[in-house]
Amino acid sequence: MSSHPIVYSSDHTSAVLRTHGWRTAANSAAYLVPYLKPEMTILDVGCGPGSISVDIAKLVPHGRVIGVEYTAEPLEQARAFAAKEGVTNAEFRIGDIHALEFPDNTFDVVHAHQVLQHVADPVQALREMCRVTKPGGIVAARESATPTWYPESAGLKAYWDLQTRIAQLKGGNPHPGSHIHVWAQQAGFERSQITCSAGTWCYSTPEERAYWGGTMKERTLSSAFATIALDKGLATQEELKDMAQGWQKWIEDDDGWYAILHGEIICRK
């Protein structure tokens, strides 16, 4: 295992896992899906509760998917979700993206979603992803870039400003979607090997606002976000409550709209 520090600024509380568990191949890895073939062997790095991993496993019925996460916390949920979905070609284990415990040239595809921004050395992570990918295989990554919302909200702006400060304080690289292709080049890929694209999440219906705003409100008050903010003196309890109220007002606004832009890369080895 590597000696890189853990810089993830969140945790695996129920609100965080609900956010991660909403993700599917369709809404979070559509740029990768056209490259998948039924017999492929795939590594999903930073798999969390396994929702994307299990979805991808369904698309490679004669292959297999291994999901790895730096901590065991979400992996039981991932295994339970795979069992619930009747997926038998997915497995989950602890692993470090900086030092993957697989031989060279093992996988047809190595995928990471919203992971590089949360690790100490994203370039080393991409080097490792490349190392365990077979010649002719694919390294795929998707990272958030810019969030935007309507209507204007001091509470939501304060939340994202604080979230960025916390991530930077922990040693992360928040919202790197616009330049992950540069990291890939630093990791050894030629520019001609990299295909860039962009995707979005958008929340605007009452159900979508309730889901997204509700989980973000809960995370504001009762997750590592709140603990770090208070412990480091980055925000007071009243300021966190104001941010949570900002999310609640956005949920209740019939015109509420929220979108996140993501940068995506397909890197051919």
Side-chain angles (χ1 to χ4, degrees):
M1 299 294 283
S2 81
S3 60
H4 286 84
I6 294 172
V7 303
Y8 186 40
S9 59
S10 190
D11 52 22
H12 295 92
T13 59
S14 61
V16 175
L17 290 180
R18 286 202 309 277
T19 305
H20 295 173
W22 169 85
R23 301 169 183 176
T24 65
N27 67 30
S28 299
Y31 74 105
L32 173 61
V33 170
Y35 297 91
L36 301 181
K37 297 178 182 179
E39 69 284 356
M40 282 181 161
T41 300
I42 298 171
L43 178 65
D44 188 20
V45 187
C47 63
S51 57
I52 298 176
S53 312
V54 169
D55 235 14
I56 289 175
K58 294 176 183 177
L59 300 174
V60 293
H62 306 302
R64 64 176 180 140
V65 174
I66 298 176
V68 297
E69 185 58 76
Y70 79 95
T71 176
E73 284 183 77
L75 296 184
E76 282 306 311
Q77 183 171 329
R79 295 181 184 109
F81 181 65
K84 174 179 174 292
E85 294 293 305
V87 169
T88 59
N89 62 330
E91 63 178 281
F92 301 93
R93 60 178 77 168
I94 294 174
D96 179 0
I97 194 172
H98 299 102
L100 294 166
E101 295 185 338
F102 300 99
D104 296 355
N105 309 323
T106 299
F107 299 96
D108 298 295
V109 175
V110 180
H111 165 262
H113 183 273
Q114 306 293 350
V115 175
L116 299 177
Q117 63 187 278
H118 296 303
V119 301
D121 190 340
V123 174
Q124 172 60 18
L126 283 162
R127 288 193 192 104
E128 275 293 278
M129 292 171 70
C130 179
R131 180 185 65 78
V132 301
T133 302
K134 298 175 183 177
I138 289 171
V139 171
R142 187 178 196 246
E143 298 287 330
S144 63
T146 304
T148 185
W149 56 83
Y150 181 88
E152 290 298 317
S153 168
L156 269 60
K157 183 179 187 304
Y159 173 89
W160 281 109
D161 288 347
L162 180 56
Q163 192 261 4
T164 299
R165 291 176 65 198
I166 289 173
Q168 291 170 336
L169 180 68
K170 289 280 289 182
N173 300 273
H175 317 308
S178 63
H179 56 271
I180 54 174
H181 61 293
V182 177
W183 284 345
Q185 291 174 78
Q186 293 170 353
F189 288 99
E190 297 292 333
R191 184 63 183 86
S192 60
Q193 295 174 285
I194 305 168
T195 300
C196 298
S197 59
T200 59
W201 289 336
C202 184
Y203 309 98
S204 64
T205 68
E207 295 78 14
E208 290 166 345
R209 293 197 311 274
Y211 153 71
W212 181 250
T215 56
M216 300 310 286
K217 175 184 175 182
E218 186 175 337
R219 290 172 70 167
T220 302
L221 297 174
S222 58
S223 72
F225 175 89
T227 302
I228 295 170
L230 294 171
D231 287 350
K232 299 296 183 181
L234 301 176
T236 66
Q237 189 68 56
E238 285 304 311
E239 287 170 332
L240 293 177
K241 288 179 180 178
D242 287 344
M243 294 175 205
Q245 185 58 31
W247 284 111
Q248 184 60 41
K249 289 180 179 178
W250 177 80
I251 293 169
E252 296 171 357
D253 192 323
D254 289 339
D255 294 323
W257 180 93
Y258 196 102
I260 303 175
L261 177 69
H262 302 270
E264 304 161 341
I265 51 173
I266 295 288
C267 305
R268 284 283 190 182
K269 183 172 177 181

